[in-house]
Amino acid sequence: MESGKEQVTVLNKDLYPAIEPYSTGFLKVSDIHTIYWEQSGNPDGHPVVFLHGGPGGGTSPSNRRFFDPEFYRIILFDQRGAGKSTPHACLVENTTWDLIDDIEKLREHLEIPEWQVFGGSWGSTLALAYSQSHPDKVTGLVLRGIFLLRKKEIDWFYEGGAAAIYPDAWEPFRDLIPENERGCFIEAYRKRLNSDDLETQYAAARAWTKWEMMTAHLIPNEENIKKGDDDYFSLAFARIENHYFHNKGFFPSDSYLLDNVDKIRHIDTAIVQGRYDVCCPMMSAWDLHRAWPEADLKVVQDAGHSANEPGIAAELVAANEKLKDAIKGGK
């Protein structure tokens, strides 16, 4: 346990300054899909791969700032159908297992023997699934806003549970769907997000995205909420999320990620969770902590879901610093 003084020193650590990539590219991962990737920081540093949320959210330049650019070789990529990857918002050949294969193809393409894995929200889901599939390729894990893609988590956020906290944000999401279809919002939105009419798709995508963006911060973030007005972003975000949630994450069982913790128990891992996370409530982080007490759980008491909230960002930087020190100490 760190002393109080050391803890304060670490938590006052700001995000690292904005940096630009030193290399970018596109990797063809299937006959259909090509993914965008970039590298920043130290070309000879310890590799870390950033797994974005959604699925469908894509990466942004600010994602580079959680890592010390002098120590880390920072790899970001846009998952199938998201961000700069093509084809945009495509659901064909787009499953968790396809994404896991893509991560491996990217690692091999960049000639990286093993790397640290960092993921929040859906990124935590994918990080767990990837690590359980390839535990020998992962040097450490930093997970935020734990999402295990269980039925009770989907039901909480998309079938009315979270409406108890955000009724004002919920009503526009609910009201897009006629009353006779409100028995399952995932299915009702799926029909519209896959409509033959593009405007029907856009309207559903805007409503879906705004619901999530309005609930992602403890204190509403107007810049984040505006993403719901961007049809290009919203379509990929909503279509791909809905596709994954309809298919239960393509996992063979509801408890798949918890059932396979033994495969990654040895990996040095930090879990960062906002106490008042409405999108991915703390029950999931707690269930993971109970199954995996060896992982270090940090609960941020004044935060919701977003990695960009100050307390969560500070803990994520601190987690990377701790892994960095462990790597330096091991050399």
Side-chain angles (χ1 to χ4, degrees), residues 4-20:
K5 185 175 180 181
E6 290 170 332
Q7 179 97 354
V8 169
T9 301
V10 169
L11 291 183
N12 282 341
K13 178 70 185 172
D14 292 329
L15 291 170
Y16 281 93
I19 53 173
E20 292 300 315

Side-chain angles (χ1 to χ4, degrees), residues 78-97:
D78 291 333
Q79 296 158 30
R80 293 189 180 200
K84 297 176 184 175
S85 294
T86 59
H88 181 70
C90 178
L91 306 183
V92 180
E93 292 180 11
N94 199 337
T95 75
T96 304
W97 310 108

Side-chain angles (χ1 to χ4, degrees), residues 51 61 75 97 128 130 154 160 195 197 210 241:
L51 304 183
I75 296 104
W97 310 108
L128 287 166
Y130 170 75
I154 299 295
S195 167
D197 177 61
K210 282 194 174 182
E241 276 200 343

Side-chain angles (χ1 to χ4, degrees), residues 198-233:
L198 189 58
E199 188 46 51
T200 299
Q201 289 187 33
Y202 281 144
R206 287 191 293 267
W208 179 285
T209 304
K210 282 194 174 182
W211 162 238
E212 186 160 336
M213 298 305 164
M214 290 175 78
T215 56
H217 291 72
L218 183 63
I219 307 299
N221 181 294
E222 289 303 321
E223 185 178 341
N224 205 49
I225 292 168
K226 284 177 185 174
K227 289 181 180 178
D229 295 323
D230 180 340
D231 286 343
Y232 188 82
F233 173 84

Side-chain angles (χ1 to χ4, degrees), residues 52-58 79-80 82 94 99 122-123 147 149 236-245:
H52 67 68
Q79 296 158 30
R80 293 189 180 200
N94 199 337
L99 300 187
W122 157 256
F147 182 40
L149 227 155
F237 186 74
R239 283 193 87 211
I240 298 172
E241 276 200 343
N242 179 273
H243 168 67
Y244 274 72
F245 302 164

Side-chain angles (χ1 to χ4, degrees), residues 36-324:
Y36 166 80
W37 59 268
E38 63 170 58
Q39 298 188 90
S40 57
N42 181 355
D44 298 315
H46 186 79
V48 58
V49 62
F50 180 97
L51 304 183
H52 67 68
T59 56
S60 64
S62 62
N63 300 149
R64 306 167 194 145
R65 300 185 60 195
F66 295 108
F67 312 96
D68 179 352
E70 293 185 5
F71 180 80
Y72 281 109
R73 176 183 174 186
I74 306 158
I75 296 104
L76 272 59
F77 77 97
D78 291 333
Q79 296 158 30
R80 293 189 180 200
K84 297 176 184 175
S85 294
T86 59
H88 181 70
C90 178
L91 306 183
V92 180
E93 292 180 11
N94 199 337
T95 75
T96 304
W97 310 108
D98 291 317
L99 300 187
I100 289 171
D101 287 346
D102 292 351
I103 297 169
E104 276 297 275
K105 286 171 183 171
L106 181 60
R107 184 185 63 77
E108 291 167 0
H109 176 71
L110 298 176
E111 300 180 341
I112 293 170
E114 57 183 12
W115 50 10
Q116 187 173 312
V117 178
F118 181 107
S121 194
W122 157 256
S124 76
T125 321
L126 184 57
L128 287 166
Y130 170 75
S131 301
Q132 289 171 3
S133 297
H134 301 282
D136 58 322
K137 301 299 188 289
V138 180
T139 62
L141 275 167
V142 177
L143 308 173
R144 186 266 313 166
I146 300 302
F147 182 40
L148 302 175
L149 227 155
R150 296 173 293 177
K151 184 179 184 299
K152 65 181 179 180
E153 297 169 63
I154 299 295
D155 287 351
W156 159 260
F157 195 65
Y158 291 104
E159 302 298 342
I165 299 171
Y166 283 98
D168 48 340
W170 172 256
E171 286 186 4
F173 177 84
R174 179 198 66 191
D175 291 350
L176 185 84
I177 305 302
E179 285 190 29
N180 65 339
E181 292 184 63
R182 292 180 188 172
C184 182
F185 284 95
I186 294 288
E187 288 306 310
Y189 269 90
R190 181 170 177 254
K191 185 169 85 172
R192 287 157 179 81
L193 289 166
N194 292 283
S195 167
D196 292 334
D197 177 61
L198 189 58
E199 188 46 51
T200 299
Q201 289 187 33
Y202 281 144
R206 287 191 293 267
W208 179 285
T209 304
K210 282 194 174 182
W211 162 238
E212 186 160 336
M213 298 305 164
M214 290 175 78
T215 56
H217 291 72
L218 183 63
I219 307 299
N221 181 294
E222 289 303 321
E223 185 178 341
N224 205 49
I225 292 168
K226 284 177 185 174
K227 289 181 180 178
D229 295 323
D230 180 340
D231 286 343
Y232 188 82
F233 173 84
S234 291
L235 189 62
F237 186 74
R239 283 193 87 211
I240 298 172
E241 276 200 343
N242 179 273
H243 168 67
Y244 274 72
F245 302 164
H246 165 76
N247 287 289
K248 303 176 177 62
F250 302 93
F251 293 124
S253 70
D254 199 52
S255 58
Y256 177 81
L257 295 175
L258 291 177
D259 292 343
N260 285 277
V261 163
D262 278 349
K263 294 177 181 177
I264 55 173
R265 196 174 295 280
H266 63 285
I267 298 173
D268 197 355
T269 299
I271 300 168
V272 177
Q273 180 69 37
R275 167 71 70 181
Y276 299 107
D277 189 333
V278 172
C279 301
C280 298
M282 190 177 144
M283 64 176 179
S284 297
W286 190 252
D287 289 346
L288 183 61
H289 167 66
R290 294 292 295 272
W292 192 8
E294 297 87 352
D296 181 28
L297 172 64
K298 296 286 189 184
V299 179
V300 183
Q301 301 293 354
D302 59 349
H305 182 65
S306 175
N308 298 316
E309 294 181 75
I312 292 182
E315 286 289 6
L316 291 172
V317 172
N320 285 324
E321 296 293 296
K322 190 174 178 182
L323 286 176
K324 177 180 82 173

